[in-house]
Amino acid sequence: MAITLFLNKKKPILGRCTDDYSTKMRLRYAPFYHAMDAQKGTTIRLDGREMIMLSSNDYLGLSFHPKVVEAGRAALVKWGTSTTGARPSNGSRTYHLELEQKMAAFLGREACHIHAAGYLSCLASVAAFAQKGDVILADKNVHSCLWDGIRLSNATVERFSHNNPDDLREVIATANPQAPKMLVIEGVYSMEGHIARLPELAEIAEEHGCFTVLDDAHGFGVLGRQGRGTVDHFGLNDNVDVICGSLSKSLASTGGFIAASRDVIEFLRTHSKQTIFSAAISPSQAACAQASLEIMQSEPDHLEKLWSNTKKYRAMLKGLGFDIWDSETPAVPIVLGSKERVYPFWKALIEKGIFTVMATSPAVPAGKDLIRTAVSAMHTDEQLEKIAAAMAYAAKKL
Ligand SMILES: Cc1ncc(COP(=O)(O)O)c(C=O)c1O
């Protein structure tokens, strides 16, 4: 103890780590960082108990699809474990180009660039194109990777109310009319499950010459023809300049993508630090994403099952009287309104063998503390029934 106090005084930053209240609370109540002992699809084992996974982003349930697993294995054998290099130097391989071409074609774009994480892709989608003197109009609920991109760009940021075109119109009217502008939104909001009001937002963006960046991490694989995403869902391919997203959700891999015109992607490859100075996605990750992309086009039943499960699940939650924040997609929050209500609810679900994730303020707006759930194409009717019984039980604990 005395040694810790002495060290903390000598090294204030070390003291910041050892004395941090949020970390102490997290370690005390252990709501996060649960390491599962086993997983097979939507069934996991945690601390020796079998449970149902209800918060993964494996929307199409492809992470255990035999073709995806085999593609990852074959790529590992053929290409080794890693390129151990960045794309501009020694890290580019033909499988990167193949995946990029297939993603671009699927999204109706001229080009695509793949990164080792969705976080990098989405951050770079803002940071590479906006600069000091520009104005970024951002939905106030966008993901943290987009905020980091905004900060790194040094542009001026103006927030508008979540998914609210009227507010965007008001905010944009007060911005410097001469400044180059960027609109930053998500296609499907990961916590809320809301679909962007893209037709209205894109119209305003067009009127003001905004370069539009749409993070479709949760819309890709879920909306549009064969899961082409939010832009395809609305048929607005010509109105969005950059679609970025993650390979770690419907594509059952890890990594990220940026799809746009050839000029935009080549500009990114020249200027984006995240693109130039970070190692390329590994062979097996790329192969798993590519196999999933092919399955999305050849096996439509996964998307159909996802939506039939989503409808059943939402109806069940509504029947139990839960506030699901008007979610329209498989990402379904259960809004409970305070940390004090979220924790016992989450614990009751764990007790009943259902694994979910809590999101409390400031990760969500104050008063919107919630349990974040997501339904998958892989959930069976029997699992949905167990989930319903557990939800009814947890509701009584409030
Ligand atoms: C909206 C959104 N964008 C980007 C990301 C980052 O993706 P990844 O987990 O692949 O880094 C996430 C992940 O949670 C997300 O929800």
Side-chain angles (χ1 to χ4, degrees), residues 322 336 340-346 393-398:
F322 289 118
L336 298 168
E340 290 70 25
R341 281 162 64 83
V342 163
Y343 187 67
F345 192 91
W346 172 81
Y393 172 81
K396 291 199 191 110
K397 298 277 173 186
L398 291 173

Side-chain angles (χ1 to χ4, degrees), residues 11-12 65 93 95 99 130 155 199-200 209 223 253 268 278 287 364 380:
K11 292 191 177 176
H65 192 294
R93 303 287 183 273
Y95 63 79
L99 176 55
E200 297 118 294
L223 295 177
S253 180
L268 174 97
S278 182
V364 289
T380 61

Side-chain angles (χ1 to χ4, degrees), residues 167-189:
D167 197 45
L168 171 62
R169 204 176 274 290
E170 274 184 33
V171 171
I172 214 166
T174 63
N176 174 2
Q178 306 309 325
K181 295 186 185 61
M182 177 186 275
L183 174 68
V184 177
I185 54 175
E186 289 179 28
V188 170
Y189 287 80

Side-chain angles (χ1 to χ4, degrees), residues 77-300:
V77 172
K78 182 171 176 191
W79 292 99
T81 53
S82 168
T83 67
T84 70
R87 291 288 299 282
S89 48
N90 61 322
S92 280
R93 303 287 183 273
T94 49
Y95 63 79
H96 293 128
L97 306 187
E98 208 179 303
L99 176 55
E100 286 168 349
Q101 279 156 11
K102 291 194 167 165
M103 285 291 289
F106 188 65
L107 289 165
R109 302 276 143 166
E110 286 173 2
C112 176
H113 189 90
I114 306 288
H115 294 93
Y119 203 98
L120 283 181
S121 289
C122 299
L123 185 157
S125 292
V126 178
F129 307 118
Q131 60 188 43
K132 196 167 191 293
D134 296 351
V135 173
I136 298 181
L137 290 306
D139 183 298
K140 73 181 187 44
N141 287 16
V142 293
H143 192 266
S144 124
C145 55
L146 298 167
W147 289 119
D148 280 354
I150 291 169
R151 262 191 292 270
L152 274 180
S153 75
N154 286 320
T156 302
V157 58
E158 302 287 353
R159 294 153 209 254
F160 61 94
S161 305
H162 172 54
N163 217 5
N164 186 332
D166 293 338
D167 197 45
L168 171 62
R169 204 176 274 290
E170 274 184 33
V171 171
I172 214 166
T174 63
N176 174 2
Q178 306 309 325
K181 295 186 185 61
M182 177 186 275
L183 174 68
V184 177
I185 54 175
E186 289 179 28
V188 170
Y189 287 80
S190 57
M191 287 292 162
E192 302 83 342
H194 300 157
I195 302 174
R197 291 173 65 183
L198 192 57
E200 297 118 294
L201 295 168
E203 190 184 318
I204 301 165
E206 284 291 310
E207 278 168 26
H208 292 265
C210 291
F211 181 91
T212 299
V213 174
L214 180 139
D215 175 350
D216 215 16
H218 297 267
F220 185 91
V222 171
L223 295 177
R225 291 166 304 141
Q226 298 175 317
R228 283 176 163 80
T230 309
V231 175
D232 184 82
H233 170 76
F234 287 111
L236 287 171
N237 210 23
D238 295 337
N239 304 64
V240 173
D241 298 281
V242 169
I243 305 174
C244 55
S246 168
L247 311 182
S248 73
K249 306 186 194 295
S250 290
L251 288 173
S253 180
T254 48
F257 68 88
I258 305 182
S261 67
R262 168 89 31 218
D263 289 346
V264 166
I265 294 300
E266 293 308 340
F267 180 93
L268 174 97
R269 288 176 175 154
T270 311
H271 293 286
S272 156
K273 292 195 167 43
Q274 298 76 32
T275 305
I276 299 168
F277 298 110
S278 182
I281 184 174
S282 76
S284 49
Q285 283 177 302
C288 291
Q290 190 170 316
S292 296
L293 186 63
E294 280 156 17
I295 291 167
M296 281 168 64
Q297 295 164 84
S298 59
E299 299 180 15

